[in-house]
Amino acid sequence: MNSTESKESRIKRVDMHKYFLDRIKKSMEEKNYITASWLIYSCFENRYFRTVQKVREYCAYCRSKSKCNHKRKNELSIKTKIKCLQRLHENSADCISGPFRYELFQETIDWVEYRNTLMHDLLVLDYYEETDDMFKTCAENGLKLLNETYNSCTKFRRKFYDPKYKFEFPKAAMDGCPCRPKPKEKPED
């Protein structure tokens, strides 16, 4: 399987990621953990979107006229993206189950929920004095997960684009997809 993007586009994307990873590093060095947490979240969004984007064209529900088909841009929630990959892992899709540690998915979801809670509670007086410590922990933990995610995504791409590899979307993974059309309810007599 070959990449559908031009080499120039891929090189530009590598530069973009380096730029944001450098910004995260700088934010951490400057103890600006809120910014670091925000950028880490954005990188997670992108990594999971890019991975799901590659496999979803093989999903029967994403090829049809479904919610998924209307969300070609990065509009699915991060949890939806992660859970898609988690279902693929559970159903032994080799390009996912090999590169990704299964627990990484739930750990990332837990981190996202913690980070979102911190962001929503940012200007709550009850937490004001603890904000720096909480965001420091958030940023440090998020960065560890992000580094693992980047490594897993690199391994995924190598496997996915290996000319000898043929990806097949397991039906059981498709059946758990929120993009799967819901059965129409029969009207009561």
Side-chain angles (χ1 to χ4, degrees):
M1 195 173 315
N2 293 321
S3 175
T4 56
E5 293 180 318
S6 69
K7 185 175 181 179
E8 294 80 22
S9 178
R10 292 190 314 257
I11 289 170
K12 195 171 185 177
R13 193 173 311 283
V14 167
D15 290 342
M16 177 186 73
H17 282 282
K18 182 182 178 331
Y19 170 79
F20 283 104
L21 292 171
D22 288 346
R23 297 246 347 239
I24 291 169
K25 181 180 177 185
K26 184 177 180 191
S27 295
M28 295 292 285
E29 289 168 355
E30 294 175 352
K31 298 181 179 23
N32 192 345
Y33 303 116
I34 295 171
T35 300
S37 295
W38 189 271
L39 292 169
I40 291 166
Y41 179 90
S42 294
C43 289
F44 276 132
E45 278 274 4
N46 183 271
R47 291 297 75 212
Y48 282 108
F49 171 71
R50 300 280 301 151
T51 304
V52 168
Q53 189 180 39
K54 288 170 180 50
V55 298
R56 75 177 175 187
E57 71 181 73
Y58 299 91
C59 174
Y61 303 121
C62 290
R63 284 193 311 257
S64 67
K65 292 183 178 181
S66 68
K67 291 187 287 185
C68 192
N69 197 34
H70 296 291
K71 297 192 176 210
R72 288 292 173 205
K73 295 182 180 176
N74 192 1
E75 296 173 0
L76 293 171
S77 78
I78 190 167
K79 286 184 191 178
T80 300
K81 294 171 204 149
I82 293 170
K83 287 185 181 289
C84 175
L85 299 180
Q86 192 173 30
R87 281 190 307 279
L88 287 168
H89 195 292
E90 290 166 352
N91 289 282
S92 303
D94 201 32
C95 63
I96 300 297
S97 60
F100 288 89
R101 180 175 58 87
Y102 183 75
E103 295 79 11
L104 176 63
F105 300 122
Q106 188 59 51
E107 290 170 11
T108 304
I109 288 171
D110 292 344
W111 181 86
V112 165
E113 289 174 354
Y114 180 68
R115 176 256 179 212
N116 287 349
T117 298
L118 290 179
M119 287 295 179
H120 291 289
D121 292 344
L122 189 58
L123 296 178
V124 173
L125 194 55
D126 295 346
Y127 302 107
Y128 170 70
E129 293 178 348
E130 300 169 30
T131 299
D132 288 340
D133 291 338
M134 290 187 296
F135 271 104
K136 179 181 181 189
T137 299
C138 181
E140 289 171 345
N141 293 339
L143 189 53
K144 288 175 193 169
L145 293 171
L146 183 63
N147 287 332
E148 183 177 353
T149 300
Y150 266 96
N151 290 332
S152 296
C153 289
T154 299
K155 291 174 188 173
F156 158 79
R157 283 190 311 278
R158 284 186 191 133
K159 177 73 174 178
F160 190 76
Y161 288 123
D162 184 323
K164 298 174 195 154
Y165 182 72
K166 181 173 174 13
F167 176 75
E168 290 185 31
F169 209 112
K171 183 171 179 352
M174 279 186 252
D175 289 344
C177 181
C179 297
R180 179 182 180 189
K182 305 292 184 244
K184 294 182 180 180
E185 292 184 27
K186 295 179 183 178
E188 293 183 32
D189 292 327

